[in-house]
Amino acid sequence: MNPGAAAELRDLAQSLVDFGRARGADEVEVSAGDSTEFNVDVRRGKIENLVEAGARQVGLKVIKDKKTAYASSSDLSRETLQRLIQRAVERARLATADEFAGLPSFSPKDFDIARLKLYDPEVPEIDPAVKVKLAMETERAALADKRITNSHGASFATYVTTGVLANSHGFVQSYDETFCSLSVSLQAGRTGGVVEDFWFSSGIRFKDLDPAEDVARRAVERTVRQLHPRKIKTQRVPVVFEPLMTSWLMGFVFSCVSGVSVYQKTTFLAGRLGQQVGNELLTIIDDGLLPGRPGTRPFDSEGVPCGRTIVFERGRLNNYLCNVYAGRKLGLPATGNGEGTGVSPNNFFLQPGTMTPDEIIASMDQGLILIKTIGHGLNPITGDISRGAFGLWVEKGEIAYPVSEITIAGNLGQILKDIEMVGNDPELQSPVNGPTIKVREMTVAGE
Amino acid sequence: MQKKPAAPLPYQDRFGLSSDDLRQVLRIALSRGGDFADLYLEYRGYSSIHMEEDIIKDTAESIVMGMGIRVIKGEQTGYGFSNDLAFDKLSRAAQSASAIALSGASAKIRIPREKPVVRNFYSNDEPAHSAPLAKKIRLVQEAYGAAQKHDPSITKVKASLQDMVQYMKIVNSEGLSVQDARPLVRLTCLAIAEKGGQREAGYSGGGGRVGLEYFEHEYSARDIGRDAAGEALSLLEAVPAPAGEMPIILSPGHSGVLVHEAVGHLLEADFNRKKTSIFWNKRGRRVASELVTIYDDPTIPMFRGSYNIDDEGTLPKKTCLIRRGVMVGLLQDRLSARVMKQRPTGHGRRQDFSCWPIPRMSTIYIDAGSHHPEEILRSVKKGFYADRYQGGQVEDSGKFTFSVSSGFLVEDGRLTTPVKQATLIGTNIDILKKISMVGTDLKFGLQTGTCSKEGQDVPVSDGCPTIKIERMTVGGSR
């Protein structure tokens, strides 16, 4: 990061807020970001791509007579930005007045940003040679396994960003963040029977990354376990979701409890607040203040402080996740999930239970462990799920063989009732996450 | 439809950089060695209008400006970019890109000569980006109103218009200097119908490398709204999809997404150069039924996926990928073409200046065959007709899936019950070989598609005639 970036961008943002007010806007919000990225991809022992770059971006929102206009630019010349504000004020006139439009009415001044541990000073200092070496080692360790037949490559990436938010209610805050990740993606098997998968380690702190050999070993295991798949008959069986699959399911849950989707009636969970939607095992929380975690941030894109929101408590739908606009529309509080005109999760997770993944698998006489899905096929309006899937078939509590060319189908509303076991093994690398779970029954389509 | 290209834009003014500056940046990029370097300058204006809940909720405008600097050495790419076009920032980005080549000879930098764009595939009588906002708002309102008034069970509508003009200039160490100004517009509508506690969504949209005249002559805002509402209504009558293996008929037009996902991606040269695609050793071999011929054509006038030059400055070519079942070609960018000793086909594309080009599709389609669509339908006693899709995905191994948002059961050669939410899954070469009938009715899908690869989004289109696949797995819930 450029050390003066935060101060420079704060000054720029503040001056643009003032300019917008002077040009007749009732309310103005300015966000500004400075990011530096480094990425190296290595493949088959050679550097394939090497990127190092920095970029800045400004986002603007103006409100005039309850009418809203947005603008953004990567051309940061004062002349361009002032012209964009001027035009946004003029454009706002052509929108329709909306009593719910506008910035948050309160503007807290104090944030304990240091406590959140979003920045690791080591990340911008990592020698590029070390980054290249880590990616090389990871791929080499994976390719050392004779079952691996090709590599999509290994990558090491770092991002260092400064974000600033200022608005016409006197809010001016900024914070710095770091992120680094090490990943490798592999193929096993020969023509006609090729399988593929990947693994990664990522986080805010460089020291917290898993060693190269561990990332490689996980990637190899995840790939080779899919070798020599069989087809299965179409049937209804219990389905165990591995933690990454639970994370995927939680992503779908998030889109269905988004306050924006609720007021737009584009989720089957609209109108269900306070109802028992899932079973007792289901507690889902959004928490933006967990120190050092990937979904942590002091405030959202509108300056609303992040907090902890219990979305489902023992199956009861307690809260929707709202930005300021959705909150006003629904008469509910803004939860610190604002992201542009929409919402985004902070750390959004299914509360882990007490069972080990082995105990959960052992409980199945016959069923599927879901390890990977591909395709689209999520419909928040109905809750319907239909995806291409890869899995491991379980017979008498033990993994028997891999299966492919199957699809899974079900309905989220039903799944929330049918989660009958929750594991103790959440996958915390992703901001949206959960542990191993078992769903009582889903349709698995094969031959 | 093809008109003369617009007069070149005053790039020097737009970017504030002289050709001497650009040569100096190239020199820095190649200062540590390397075979090739190029500069990609971009200035893009983008605007959008959103309507929902009966009001124009907001409008937005955005500007993307910057330069990407690439150095190639062998199969290696070094890349730097900056949104600040001050010379010292560009020098630093060029130095970052140069780090890929730590020693060795540098390519000679030839003096750039401006190459004119010879054919124009854009129609831009009424450029959307500079059209009055009030006129664009009117189009959005028309689509919205048509959807809303279509039927009392339509309870929710969203309509939006997005337009863009992208000025780009490419200068490379081989002496190429070329520029383009690409228009792009899209009007889309989402409608939700409700009946008896059931909710369904329908979608339609149109646009392309066109101006606002498109919405008068090709696909009107009213028709877009009506079609979105119509789809939502028909889904209210739909039942859950069946599950299991059965004969499949693919609808013309919309089913182009299958071609894109299941076949097109794996014919992109990079996956073949790296031998990760199932097709890498199949050139000249039979990979599909002999009824199947597949093209990718970036030169179809006005299409969303089309362009006058690709993002490396190469003139695009209509490229045959599979001819009568035999694999004959790949989608090439410069890097893969050079390593594989083939010619670039003009399929090197990038999302924006912060990304390096990679081989991408433009408009991919299965060519028309000889079967009458009715004849295809009549040949199926019991099966599934896939009509509209949400999208799909493929693995390099050829395993693919795509999500069908609506379709029909086929019983005794006729379309019967409407069906919703199914997934089709298979392995591409296996399915390509099971294509047993190809219709005469080649159509193209909606001009609203975007393809994602390695985190880069680019506009695409696709097409296909009515097709019969002997057997395929349908994943439904019953």
Side-chain angles (χ1 to χ4, degrees):
Chain A
M1 184 194 54
N2 160 7
E8 216 178 297
L9 291 179
R10 281 169 83 121
D11 287 350
L12 175 68
Q14 186 62 61
S15 73
L16 293 173
V17 167
D18 296 343
F19 182 84
R21 287 282 289 139
R23 289 302 158 110
D26 300 332
E27 293 182 298
V28 184
E29 176 191 281
V30 177
S31 61
D34 176 292
S35 65
T36 307
E37 69 170 84
F38 176 96
N39 181 67
V40 60
D41 302 324
V42 306
R43 190 171 166 271
R44 299 207 149 251
K46 277 176 82 177
I47 296 178
E48 189 170 68
N49 304 303
L50 185 66
V51 189
E52 197 176 359
R56 287 185 171 185
Q57 174 85 11
V58 164
L60 309 160
K61 177 178 180 177
V62 306
I63 293 126
K64 169 84 178 156
D65 301 328
K66 292 283 173 192
K67 301 172 179 182
T68 309
Y70 297 91
S72 71
S73 181
S74 66
D75 175 357
L76 264 56
S77 69
R78 209 159 277 262
E79 184 205 340
T80 300
L81 294 172
Q82 292 188 349
R83 180 164 47 89
L84 282 173
I85 292 183
Q86 177 72 48
R87 288 166 55 102
V89 174
E90 288 161 15
R91 230 177 29 247
R93 294 207 182 95
L94 291 167
T96 318
D98 183 350
E99 57 173 316
F100 304 105
L103 305 185
S105 47
F106 60 99
S107 38
K109 301 280 191 295
D110 293 318
F111 290 93
D112 188 356
I113 289 166
R115 188 188 79 86
L116 300 180
K117 298 192 173 11
L118 297 172
Y119 187 83
D120 174 9
E122 195 179 349
V123 171
E125 306 301 328
I126 309 168
D127 184 341
V130 169
K131 305 183 196 186
V132 173
K133 191 162 152 266
L134 268 173
M136 291 277 193
E137 280 175 10
T138 306
E139 198 204 30
R140 195 182 314 128
L143 287 174
D145 191 300
K146 291 282 175 292
R147 295 166 297 178
I148 298 300
T149 49
N150 203 345
S151 159
H152 290 286
S155 303
F156 185 89
T158 57
Y159 298 87
V160 181
T161 59
T162 295
V164 171
L165 182 71
N167 72 28
S168 52
H169 296 321
F171 184 98
V172 193
Q173 290 286 334
S174 65
Y175 60 96
D176 300 332
E177 286 179 286
T178 52
F179 176 80
C180 41
S181 86
L182 177 63
S183 62
V184 64
S185 176
L186 304 169
Q187 282 188 340
R190 304 281 166 199
T191 302
V194 175
V195 295
E196 51 193 29
D197 216 328
F198 74 103
W199 191 244
F200 68 104
S201 175
S202 69
I204 291 168
R205 274 160 45 107
F206 182 51
K207 282 202 175 65
D208 292 343
L209 291 189
D210 293 334
E213 308 77 62
D214 292 7
V215 174
R217 187 173 38 76
R218 284 292 294 275
V220 170
E221 284 168 8
R222 289 171 56 83
T223 306
V224 300
R225 66 179 178 169
Q226 299 175 51
L227 279 170
H228 314 300
R230 302 190 199 167
K231 283 189 164 190
I232 49 169
K233 293 257 177 267
T234 300
Q235 53 196 298
R236 285 183 67 80
V237 284
V239 175
V240 168
F241 286 58
E242 287 196 336
L244 273 195
M245 293 293 93
T246 306
S247 302
W248 163 73
L249 189 71
M250 288 302 114
F252 186 38
V253 172
F254 174 81
S255 62
C256 297
V257 297
S258 141
V260 174
S261 305
V262 171
Y263 89 72
Q264 294 185 344
K265 300 198 182 92
T266 49
T267 161
F268 75 101
L269 290 174
R272 307 287 301 275
L273 207 58
Q275 295 179 14
Q276 193 73 24
V277 171
N279 70 32
E280 291 269 301
L281 292 172
L282 190 80
T283 293
I284 298 178
I285 294 167
D286 182 83
D287 192 334
L289 300 178
L290 300 171
R293 294 275 293 276
T296 299
R297 49 182 181 167
F299 49 85
D300 70 6
S301 75
E302 299 177 290
V304 175
C306 293
R308 181 180 172 90
T309 308
I310 299 177
V311 180
F312 289 92
E313 187 172 20
R314 299 167 67 83
R316 185 173 179 271
L317 178 56
N318 272 2
N319 283 290
Y320 296 126
L321 296 172
C322 293
N323 58 13
V324 170
Y325 185 81
R328 285 181 186 151
K329 295 282 281 190
L330 297 169
L332 295 171
T335 51
N337 291 88
E339 186 69 49
T341 56
V343 290
S344 75
N346 295 314
N347 298 294
F348 182 85
F349 57 93
L350 173 63
Q351 187 91 308
T354 53
M355 297 185 80
T356 67
D358 288 344
E359 286 169 345
I360 293 177
I361 293 164
S363 77
M364 265 197 306
D365 183 42
Q366 197 177 53
L368 181 79
I369 303 175
L370 185 65
I371 61 175
K372 199 162 74 170
T373 68
I374 58 173
H376 298 249
L378 297 178
N379 184 343
I381 295 174
T382 56
D384 288 340
I385 295 175
S386 174
R387 297 268 287 201
F390 296 79
L392 303 172
W393 192 251
V394 174
E395 296 274 3
K396 301 202 172 17
E398 282 182 25
I399 295 170
Y401 48 83
V403 289
S404 73
E405 289 202 36
I406 55 170
T407 69
I408 53 154
N411 179 279
L412 183 60
Q414 193 59 42
I415 290 171
L416 296 179
K417 294 190 185 101
D418 285 353
I419 293 176
E420 54 181 28
M421 291 180 187
V422 177
N424 61 0
D425 58 339
E427 172 50 62
L428 299 177
Q429 296 196 68
S430 157
V432 177
N433 66 68
T436 299
I437 57 170
K438 180 182 169 193
V439 175
R440 196 176 55 83
E441 202 177 59
M442 290 180 78
T443 300
V444 178
E447 289 175 303
Chain B
M1 197 51 71
Q2 297 191 16
K3 302 186 183 69
K4 281 187 72 159
L9 285 139
Y11 281 92
Q12 192 170 327
D13 294 343
R14 191 172 290 282
F15 297 111
L17 292 161
S18 69
S19 56
D20 279 351
D21 290 337
L22 297 178
R23 274 177 72 199
Q24 186 59 29
V25 175
L26 279 175
R27 233 174 257 133
I28 297 166
L30 286 171
S31 59
R32 291 195 246 187
D35 307 329
F36 172 85
D38 65 3
L39 312 179
Y40 180 84
L41 291 98
E42 179 180 25
Y43 187 97
R44 182 163 13 158
Y46 168 92
S47 76
S48 65
I49 298 161
H50 300 285
M51 178 166 187
E52 61 175 277
E53 299 187 307
D54 303 344
I55 64 174
I56 296 294
K57 205 146 254 194
D58 52 64
T59 61
E61 175 181 20
S62 88
I63 289 169
V64 173
M65 184 187 76
M67 187 199 281
I69 301 164
R70 171 172 69 152
V71 174
I72 294 179
K73 186 180 187 197
E75 290 191 57
Q76 301 178 292
T77 300
Y79 202 75
F81 61 85
S82 173
N83 65 309
D84 185 339
L85 299 187
F87 190 77
D88 62 319
K89 295 282 168 39
L90 296 179
S91 307
R92 198 179 313 154
Q95 275 160 12
S96 298
S98 75
I100 195 74
L102 289 172
S103 62
S106 295
K108 229 177 101 191
I109 299 170
R110 298 220 178 89
I111 294 172
R113 261 204 265 163
E114 189 70 27
K115 184 169 151 188
V117 167
V118 287
R119 290 201 291 166
N120 178 37
F121 305 115
Y122 316 143
S123 154
N124 209 9
D125 290 344
E126 196 184 350
H129 193 66
S130 51
L133 192 63
K135 171 146 195 190
K136 294 192 269 188
I137 287 177
R138 212 151 51 233
L139 284 171
V140 174
Q141 287 167 332
E142 279 172 20
Y144 188 100
Q148 194 178 41
K149 289 185 204 100
H150 188 67
D151 191 278
S153 38
I154 299 295
T155 53
K156 161 98 199 163
V157 179
K158 278 202 239 189
S160 67
L161 186 132
Q162 293 156 316
D163 64 66
M164 179 187 97
V165 59
Q166 179 191 26
Y167 302 103
M168 43 87 87
K169 179 184 177 82
I170 296 161
V171 177
N172 73 26
S173 57
E174 293 175 353
L176 177 76
S177 174
V178 64
Q179 56 193 30
D180 196 11
R182 302 171 177 159
L184 189 67
V185 63
R186 170 164 82 169
L187 175 61
T188 57
C189 183
L190 174 84
I192 293 175
E194 267 185 81
K195 204 163 84 183
Q198 194 194 339
R199 271 187 212 132
E200 296 291 349
Y203 171 84
S204 195
R209 303 281 187 194
V210 293
L212 295 184
E213 73 282 355
Y214 172 93
F215 301 105
E216 281 162 38
H217 308 311
E218 301 284 333
Y219 193 11
S220 76
R222 283 196 179 82
D223 287 347
I224 287 170
R226 236 186 327 253
D227 290 350
E231 192 194 6
L233 289 176
S234 68
L235 280 171
L236 283 178
E237 310 301 322
V239 301
E245 254 192 358
M246 61 194 82
I248 305 290
I249 297 177
L250 305 176
S251 68
H254 297 304
S255 301
V257 65
L258 170 138
V259 191
H260 177 104
E261 292 301 338
V263 190
H265 276 297
L266 298 186
L267 290 166
E268 291 167 340
D270 46 352
F271 300 134
N272 291 278
R273 168 167 62 84
K274 298 175 192 177
K275 302 182 182 174
T276 56
S277 163
I278 192 167
F279 287 116
W280 79 269
N281 55 358
K282 305 266 189 306
R283 204 183 174 107
R285 285 166 57 182
R286 173 96 187 274
V287 295
S289 140
E290 61 182 16
L291 303 174
V292 177
T293 292
I294 298 179
Y295 291 100
D296 187 282
D297 188 357
T299 70
I300 302 176
M302 308 195 297
F303 271 28
R304 193 172 155 78
S306 297
Y307 36 82
N308 293 342
I309 50 169
D310 78 356
D311 292 320
E312 304 181 289
T314 307
L315 294 176
K317 288 191 189 69
K318 176 176 172 178
T319 304
C320 190
L321 301 169
I322 293 177
R323 180 174 288 130
R324 291 192 287 278
V326 177
M327 178 186 154
V328 294
L330 292 172
L331 300 171
Q332 290 285 1
D333 63 355
R334 265 174 179 276
L335 171 61
S336 288
R338 176 149 52 169
V339 174
M340 299 174 84
K341 300 194 167 50
Q342 295 178 13
R343 296 177 83 89
T345 57
H347 288 86
R349 304 184 67 188
R350 44 182 135 198
Q351 173 178 289
D352 59 42
F353 70 89
S354 70
C355 308
W356 63 83
I358 49 178
R360 301 296 293 263
M361 282 169 266
S362 58
T363 298
I364 192 167
Y365 63 93
I366 293 188
D367 209 5
S370 58
H371 296 96
H372 195 276
E374 271 300 315
E375 179 192 351
I376 298 176
L377 194 56
R378 277 203 307 272
S379 75
V380 174
K381 195 156 169 52
K382 196 167 185 309
F384 180 65
Y385 183 94
D387 187 15
R388 303 280 300 255
Y389 304 85
Q390 277 178 306
Q393 196 177 336
V394 67
E395 285 204 330
D396 286 3
S397 59
K399 293 190 181 75
F400 72 86
T401 164
F402 51 125
S403 303
V404 181
S405 54
S406 68
F408 296 89
L409 296 181
V410 184
E411 290 163 304
D412 294 325
R414 287 185 307 117
L415 299 183
T416 56
T417 317
V419 161
K420 61 177 182 175
Q421 203 78 27
T423 298
L424 297 181
I425 187 159
T427 301
N428 61 3
I429 291 182
D430 181 44
I431 297 297
L432 283 170
K433 288 185 173 165
K434 286 181 181 156
I435 291 180
S436 58
M437 296 175 103
V438 177
T440 51
D441 54 341
L442 170 63
K443 287 200 180 81
F444 292 92
L446 294 178
Q447 293 290 327
T448 60
T450 298
C451 168
S452 241
K453 173 178 170 185
E454 291 169 18
Q456 295 197 45
D457 288 354
V458 296
V460 293
S461 11
D462 48 49
C464 106
T466 301
I467 278 175
K468 180 181 174 189
I469 298 168
E470 276 307 306
R471 292 194 82 71
M472 193 167 175
T473 302
V474 182
S477 53
R478 77 190 167 91

